[in-house]
């Protein structure tokens, strides 16, 4: 499979998983009696940031892999490290501004970022199951 198609497909799976996770998180906030518009904005912004972070990571890793296949490992490694720093700084800055402005509830904005790894594990489990 073409790497670009694979990245887009994985990003789509992450987006679907994030939507489900954020909906479940909304349900938890409703059950706790803490649901309001800041939770909605926090979930939406956190979910979008999680998907965008994953997409940018995957694109940069593919670029680094291309450089490594061209015997430019040092440049690929630098690309991955730089990408990591800028993605974390961007996430922190955007979340900080959203929370400080009162637009987002802090937990509702951060929790969707934690959904990516379980979503990847679940999709990988089902992907392997289909191949066998």
């Amino acid at each position: 499979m073409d790497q670009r198609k694979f990245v887009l497909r994985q990003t789509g799976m992450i987006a679907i998983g994030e939507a489900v996770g954020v909906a479940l998180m909304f349900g938890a906030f409703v059950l706790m009696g803490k649901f309001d518009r800041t939770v909605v904005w926090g979930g939406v912004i956190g979910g979008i940031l999680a998907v965008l972070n994953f997409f940018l990571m995957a694109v940069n890793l593919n670029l680094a892999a291309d450089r490594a296949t061209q015997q430019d490992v040092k440049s690929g490694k630098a690309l991955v490290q730089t990408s990591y720093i800028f993605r974390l700084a961007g996430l922190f800055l955007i979340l900080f501004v959203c929370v400080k402005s009162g637009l987002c509830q802090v937990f509702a904005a951060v929790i969707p970022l934690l959904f990516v790894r379980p979503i990847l594990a679940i999709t990988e489990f089902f992907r392997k199951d289909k191949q066998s």
Side-chain angles (χ1 to χ4, degrees):
M1 179 182 281
D2 182 31
Q3 287 298 323
R4 291 180 182 146
K5 287 182 184 177
F6 182 72
V7 167
L8 290 175
R9 186 172 181 192
Q10 283 294 104
T11 304
M13 297 301 278
I14 293 295
I16 291 168
E18 281 290 332
V20 170
V22 169
L24 291 173
M25 181 185 72
F26 287 166
F29 274 95
V30 167
L31 290 175
M32 291 186 296
K34 303 286 186 183
F35 189 78
D36 62 358
R37 84 172 167 78
T38 61
V39 172
V40 173
W41 279 111
V44 169
I45 291 171
I48 290 171
L49 287 176
V51 172
L52 183 62
N53 182 49
F54 177 81
F55 176 72
L56 292 175
M57 177 202 60
V59 167
N60 283 314
L61 286 176
N62 276 333
L63 291 173
D66 289 344
R67 289 183 183 181
T69 58
Q70 297 169 356
Q71 305 303 321
D72 191 8
V73 176
K74 190 174 184 179
S75 171
K77 185 177 178 181
L79 176 68
V80 170
Q81 290 172 340
T82 306
S83 165
Y84 178 72
I85 290 168
F86 281 116
R87 284 184 296 109
L88 279 183
L91 282 173
F92 176 78
L93 182 66
I94 293 169
L95 288 174
F96 182 79
V97 168
C98 288
V99 170
K100 278 299 188 184
S101 71
L103 181 65
C104 300
Q105 202 266 2
V106 66
F107 291 113
V110 173
I111 289 173
L113 298 173
L114 304 175
F115 294 155
V116 174
R117 290 188 66 110
I119 293 167
L120 286 173
I122 291 168
T123 57
E124 187 66 21
F125 174 77
F126 286 113
R127 188 176 71 92
K128 284 183 180 179
D129 206 25
K130 283 183 180 178
Q131 288 178 351
S132 57

